[in-house]
Amino acid sequence: MSIVELPAHSLSCAIHAREISCRDVMQAYLRRIDLVNPRHQAIVSLQDGDLLLRQADERDAQLARGESLGWMHGMPQAIKDLANSAGIPTTLGSSLMRNFVPQEDGLMVQRMKAAGCIVIGKTNTPEFGLGSHTFNEVFGATRNAYDISRSAGGSSGGAAVAVALRMLPVADGSDFMGSLRNPAGWNNVFGLRPSQGRVPMWPAQDAWVSQLGTEGPMGRTVQDVARLLDVQAGFDQRAPLSIADGARFTGALGGFDCKRVRIGWLGDLSGHLTMEPGILDVCEQGLHRLEVLGCTVEPAQLGMPPETIWRAWLVWRRALVAARIAPFLLNPKNRALIKAEALWEHEQARNLSGTEFLSASVQRTAFYQHMLSLFKEHDFLALPVAQVWPFDVDQRWPGYINGVEMDTYHRWMEVTIYATFAGLPCISVPVGFDARGLPMGLQVIGKPHGDWELLQLAYAYEQTAQEVLQRPPPVASAWR
């Protein structure tokens, strides 16, 4: 097995056993990026190769002295282009930010560097991370790992494609409206949205109200996802709402007793969510694998009007997104350089009152309490990860699903809001392909702070889904 084919946990073991050098690892990944990235545009702001090899040599010298920084020692890592990495542009996918070079790492990057990774560049993201389709005016579009004519999803689209095509061992991302889950599902890898607060974010404009987005891990195996989460997670006093329970994610994932597990299948929410043909069918194939493991899978009702949840969600989203866009609009000339969807979010929030926002927060609280009642009957809840298959890369967003018009640019991703709005952990697991060879994922939602149990279930599922996971992207024939 070639270096880039190794799962991240195996790569780490091989590096620490001195079976392969950090220089060999860096050379292998740079060759893969050179081969694959021009067609897919997943990694951006790639750093100078000689500089990266010198850093790899430094990691080898540390190992020769018996020193290891941690699990990621010598691993190449590209940071999602929404997070700061010192000395490398953080563009947010915006032409207004193309020349911004932060002088300090964000907290997540600090933690990954402390665990030994070498930052080689960034992964592509849509402008300001808005919309689950990775394209922007700075770097262009990231193309799906399985079909370059199709969207990679987003906003962690670059991360998902880089992992799927073996340009990175693992990847970090962030998730506000499915941004770790949708691209993972569309590129046949695993993406975990951790419990809200599990992975603290710093720097941040606001530490108290902005509690919808979170950073998190992505990988080709569940063990890789768990190990990266262990690096990213943990309380930080600069993020006062971060989780301080001291949970670790390095233990053995096996041995989970699936025979007592009850999974509630929410499907399309009794017809509320319009789905393209075949999505429910392929997700049910994934659920059948869980049944083979001994899980009980049964239809479940959301039990709360979805439109009520959506309206409250819109208020929260508009308020939080508008606050991110507002500073750029202090200069009126910038308006022409900001995409229409971001301007729409800002305009929608212009007349939003504090009373309306608090009312939406009350509704969100009621929804969370209702989700707790569902977990009295079920250990996990399941939904498709998207309502459409990967669409044309030149399309901004799906305006219709099965002839039903979408009334916002993100309504086609409504299926992802339930885990986010309740702050619950949720993982996207690969379930299969359509007749065109396009991938789809199933999102499984865990109980509050139930990240470890969710990973254990996903690990058990992984063992039954190897025929899906071992199906390589078409470009794989060029790797060997």
Side-chain angles (χ1 to χ4, degrees):
M1 183 178 291
S2 68
I3 288 175
V4 297
E5 293 282 359
L6 289 171
H9 60 274
S10 300
L11 177 65
S12 179
C13 290
I15 289 172
H16 283 90
R18 310 291 301 279
E19 295 171 358
I20 53 177
S21 70
C22 298
R23 170 173 272 267
D24 289 340
V25 171
M26 184 61 70
Q27 287 177 325
Y29 273 98
L30 291 177
R31 284 195 298 267
R32 177 57 49 83
I33 292 167
D34 183 61
L35 175 67
V36 175
N37 199 54
R39 298 177 76 231
H40 291 270
Q41 197 63 16
I43 292 179
V44 298
S45 299
L46 183 65
Q47 299 298 283
D48 177 72
D50 290 338
L51 172 64
L52 295 173
L53 288 171
R54 286 197 295 272
Q55 292 182 60
D57 290 340
E58 291 171 6
R59 293 289 187 274
D60 282 326
Q62 289 171 318
L63 288 177
R65 297 192 299 267
E67 302 168 4
S68 169
L69 293 176
W71 179 71
M72 302 187 79
H73 192 99
M75 283 191 194
Q77 180 77 354
I79 310 302
K80 184 176 177 180
D81 201 17
L82 297 181
N84 287 349
S85 183
I88 301 176
T90 296
T91 75
L92 312 181
S94 168
S95 56
L96 296 171
M97 295 286 289
R98 73 166 68 232
N99 296 318
F100 171 65
V101 180
Q103 301 305 304
E104 187 175 8
D105 292 322
L107 176 58
M108 178 184 63
V109 179
Q110 291 175 12
R111 289 177 169 178
M112 291 189 294
K113 283 185 175 180
C117 82
I118 300 172
V119 176
I120 65 171
K122 306 301 277 286
T123 54
N124 204 20
T125 186
E127 185 177 330
F128 300 116
L130 299 178
S132 201
H133 176 27
T134 299
F135 72 97
N136 58 61
E137 297 298 323
V138 183
F139 300 112
T142 297
R143 296 172 180 270
N144 192 284
Y146 284 79
D147 185 338
I148 62 171
S149 72
R150 299 284 167 163
S151 169
S155 59
S156 307
V161 172
V163 170
L165 293 178
R166 281 62 168 173
M167 290 187 275
L168 293 174
V170 287
D172 62 85
S174 54
D175 187 305
F176 191 105
M177 193 177 181
S179 292
L180 277 159
R181 293 164 281 159
N182 162 250
W186 279 8
N187 291 279
N188 206 42
V189 297
F190 295 92
L192 174 71
R193 177 192 168 88
S195 294
Q196 195 71 47
R198 178 71 68 193
V199 179
M201 190 178 295
W202 182 87
Q205 286 179 303
D206 165 65
W208 299 103
V209 179
S210 297
Q211 301 299 315
L212 289 181
T214 178
E215 293 170 321
M218 191 179 288
R220 286 188 284 124
T221 74
V222 176
Q223 187 173 344
D224 291 348
V225 169
R227 292 303 301 266
L228 182 54
L229 177 63
D230 191 67
V231 171
Q232 297 171 332
F235 176 77
D236 186 278
Q237 62 183 3
R238 292 166 294 185
L241 300 183
S242 56
I243 295 174
D245 63 10
R248 297 300 305 273
F249 301 96
T250 56
L253 288 162
F256 188 62
D257 185 5
C258 292
K259 293 182 174 58
R260 293 186 171 186
V261 170
R262 303 163 301 168
I263 299 174
W265 171 228
L266 293 169
D268 61 3
L269 302 185
S270 301
H272 171 77
L273 298 171
T274 307
M275 299 270 177
E276 284 191 339
I279 291 176
L280 292 175
D281 294 335
V282 75
C283 286
E284 287 169 359
Q285 292 173 20
L287 290 168
H288 178 67
R289 297 185 188 103
L290 289 167
E291 288 181 314
V292 170
L293 289 170
C295 298
T296 299
V297 179
E298 53 195 6
Q301 301 295 318
L302 184 61
M304 193 172 187
E307 196 64 28
T308 300
I309 301 166
W310 175 253
R311 287 196 299 269
W313 158 267
L314 283 182
V315 172
W316 268 82
R317 181 179 173 91
R318 289 166 182 166
L320 299 184
V321 172
R324 289 160 47 193
I325 303 303
F328 295 97
L329 290 172
L330 293 176
N331 182 348
K333 293 181 180 179
N334 288 344
R335 178 173 288 270
L337 299 174
I338 297 175
K339 73 177 185 178
E341 293 84 355
L343 294 174
W344 177 83
E345 295 275 15
H346 182 265
E347 294 304 312
Q348 290 290 308
R350 284 181 67 119
N351 297 317
L352 181 64
S353 70
T355 300
E356 288 174 299
F357 185 78
L358 184 57
S359 177
S361 187
V362 169
Q363 186 61 60
R364 183 183 180 187
T365 302
F367 171 63
Y368 173 76
Q369 298 298 333
H370 178 72
M371 289 292 277
L372 294 184
S373 71
L374 292 182
F375 283 118
K376 292 180 181 178
E377 302 296 328
H378 310 286
D379 299 298
F380 301 92
L381 299 171
L383 286 156
V385 80
Q387 293 165 235
V388 298
W389 296 94
F391 53 85
D392 193 307
V393 72
D394 295 322
Q395 186 179 357
R396 291 186 75 89
W397 46 275
Y400 293 84
I401 301 178
N402 296 344
V404 177
E405 186 174 10
M406 301 291 101
D407 57 359
T408 72
Y409 77 97
H410 45 36
R411 188 70 183 243
W412 63 277
M413 284 299 297
E414 184 177 357
V415 71
T416 66
I417 71 170
Y418 303 99
T420 297
F421 214 34
L424 299 171
C426 185
I427 192 167
S428 173
V429 301
V431 289
F433 300 80
D434 71 358
R436 299 165 293 182
L438 299 176
M440 183 53 61
L442 173 77
Q443 54 177 332
V444 184
I445 304 173
K447 294 179 179 179
H449 293 199
D451 307 61
W452 179 245
E453 293 77 11
L454 185 63
L455 286 164
Q456 287 183 301
L457 178 69
Y459 180 80
Y461 169 86
E462 180 182 16
Q463 312 316 306
T464 73
Q466 289 303 304
E467 80 281 4
V468 174
L469 297 169
Q470 296 301 321
R471 180 167 172 172
V475 74
S477 60
W479 298 350
R480 298 178 172 85

